Amino acid sequence: MSDIDIIESDIIAAITNIRSLDELDALRVAELGKKGRVTGLMKQLGKMSPDERKVMGPRLNQLKTNLSSAIESRKTVLETDALERQLKSEQIDLTLPAPPEPVGALHPVMQVFEELSAIFGDMGFAVAEGPDIEDDWHNFTALNFPAGHPARETHDTFFFSPQGDNLAKVLRTHTSPVQIRTMTENKPPIRIIAPGRVYRNDWDATHTPMFHQIEGLVVEKGIHMGHLKGCLIDFVKAFFEVDTVEARFRPHFFPFTEPSAEMDVKCDRSGGTVKIGQGDDWLEVLGSGMIHPNVLRNCGIDPDEYQGFAFGLGVDRLAMLKYGMPDLRPYFEADPNWTQHYGFRPWLTPSVSGGLSE
Ligand code: DAH
C-alpha cells in the first residue's frame, strides 16, 4: 500500500467517525488546509521527475476529490441527523386531549339578571343604570318621601357624613332613584328596567346589607293598571317557565306610586320547595303601582298628559325561589364550592327563544 493509500484510508476512517459539523470542519482544515498532509504531498510534486509527476499528479487530484466528496457526504448525513433531532424536539402531539374546561361559574344572581334582561328586553324594555352612592333628592325626596316621612325610616339607610349644607349622601336603599334619573334625562315614551345593588343596614338568613333589586318603569300616554297586571303576569310566567299562573294584586303603600299593590302568585309549599303556578298558597313576588303624579311632576312630566307604572323586586330572593338556595348569606361569601354547585356556565346566555335556564 502506498503512502497515499494509507493517508486516504486513514482520513476516510476519521471522517466516518465524526459526530458533529464543527468537528468535521476542523478535520477538513487540518487535513486539506495549508499545513495538512494532503498539501504536504502536493508540495512534493515539484521535486518529482516529469514521469513520476505524470503518475502522481492525477493520483493526488483523485485523493483530493475522494476526500472532498467523503466530507460532503458526511456533512449531509450530520445535517439530516441534526434536522431530525430538532423536528423531534419541537414535535406537537395533535392527538392530545384539549385542556379541561375553565373552572368558574356565573353567580346565580348574575344569571337571574341575565334572565330578567332577556325577558324584559323581549317586551321592549331597555336597561338603565344609576350610581350606588345617591343624593337625598333621587333616593327619597323626588320619589315623594317628604322630609321626616316615616317611610324613610323603614329603609335602614347607610348615610355618608354631610358635606357643607347639602343633605348627607346615602348608599341607595333601592333602585327606584333610577326612575327619577331616567325620567329627568329622557322624554316619554319610556320603558326601562334598572338592575343593581342596593344597601340597607340589616343582617340575617334572608337579609344582607348589600342585595340586588331590579326596577321597572313604563311611562306612556294612556297607561293604566291593566297594562301593569298584564306585563307582570307575563313576566312571572316567563321567569318561572310555567304556562299559567294565578296572581293577586294586594293593596299596599309606597310613597312613589298611587295606587300601590304587592303582587302575590299561587304556589305549592308542600315537599319543602316552593313550586310556582300550582298549589293553594300565596307567595309575594314584587311591589308595584301607578306612578304618583308628584313623582312625574318632580321629573318635569305632566301627569295629565302621561301616565305610567313601576315595579321593584328583590333579585336575590327571586334566585333563591327559582334555584332552591335555602340561605342568602353564602351568596356573598365567595366560596368556590358553593358557586360551582349553584353557579351557571358563563357562556350560555339566557334568551326567551333559546331557553332561560339549563
Ligand atoms: N322601591 C321599593 C322597595 O325597595 C320597591 C318598589 C315598590 C319599587 C313599588 C317600585 C314600586 O317601583 O312601584 O321596597
Side-chain angles (χ1 to χ4, degrees), residues 155 173-174 176 179 200 213 215-216 254 256-257 287-289 310-312:
H155 276 205
T173 58
H174 50 175
S176 303
Q179 288 189 28
R200 290 185 200 182
Q213 284 189 341
E215 193 79 11
F254 297 108
F256 37 87
T257 43
S288 66
F311 54 91

Side-chain angles (χ1 to χ4, degrees), residues 97-292:
E101 290 189 351
V103 237
L106 197 64
H107 194 287
V109 170
M110 294 303 122
Q111 166 74 15
V112 169
F113 271 149
E114 295 286 340
E115 295 179 21
L116 295 172
S117 305
I119 295 167
F120 285 106
D122 199 50
M123 296 191 210
F125 284 71
V127 174
E129 283 181 317
D132 286 18
I133 298 174
E134 262 302 3
D135 51 42
D136 183 88
W137 167 258
H138 289 93
N139 197 77
F140 291 123
T141 307
L143 286 162
N144 203 34
F145 290 78
H149 191 286
R152 287 185 181 226
E153 267 141 53
T154 63
H155 276 205
D156 294 313
T157 313
F158 288 113
F159 289 97
F160 285 80
S161 309
Q163 300 281 314
D165 291 340
N166 296 328
L167 285 171
K169 292 214 170 179
V170 300
L171 282 174
R172 66 176 176 191
T173 58
H174 50 175
T175 43
S176 303
V178 185
Q179 288 189 28
I180 304 301
R181 292 186 176 274
T182 307
M183 287 191 282
T184 40
E185 284 158 26
N186 300 277
K187 286 200 165 21
I190 292 170
R191 210 182 280 193
I192 58 111
I193 51 165
R197 295 194 181 103
V198 299
Y199 306 84
R200 290 185 200 182
N201 192 358
D202 221 348
W203 174 248
D204 60 36
T206 50
H207 297 89
T208 50
M210 187 279 289
F211 57 105
H212 301 86
Q213 284 189 341
I214 193 159
E215 193 79 11
L217 175 75
V218 171
V219 188
E220 285 169 41
K221 284 185 180 164
I223 291 288
H224 53 69
M225 207 67 189
H227 296 122
L228 179 157
K229 287 177 73 176
C231 172
L232 294 177
I233 289 172
D234 277 355
F235 151 66
V236 170
K237 285 199 288 198
F239 181 74
F240 288 105
E241 300 175 59
V242 291
D243 293 332
T244 52
V245 66
E246 202 182 319
R248 76 178 177 197
F249 287 81
R250 201 167 17 83
H252 197 76
F253 172 79
F254 297 108
F256 37 87
T257 43
E258 180 58 37
S260 306
E262 281 191 328
M263 179 186 186
D264 299 338
V265 293
K266 269 274 172 77
C267 71
D268 177 11
R269 286 197 171 84
S270 63
T273 53
V274 186
K275 290 192 203 75
I276 310 291
Q278 44 187 289
D280 289 318
D281 276 338
W282 291 104
L283 175 80
E284 179 202 319
V285 281
L286 53 82
S288 66
M290 301 305 296
I291 304 171
H292 197 294

Side-chain angles (χ1 to χ4, degrees), residues 37-73:
R37 279 188 282 179
V38 178
T39 314
L41 289 172
M42 298 292 272
K43 278 181 187 157
Q44 287 174 17
L45 277 178
K47 293 175 201 150
M48 289 178 190
S49 68
D51 283 347
E52 272 179 321
R53 213 181 294 147
K54 241 187 208 158
V55 179
M56 290 306 284
R59 177 67 188 100
L60 280 177
N61 278 337
Q62 183 63 48
L63 170 67
K64 277 174 87 175
T65 316
N66 289 352
L67 292 180
S68 297
S69 73
I71 288 173
E72 266 322 297
S73 61

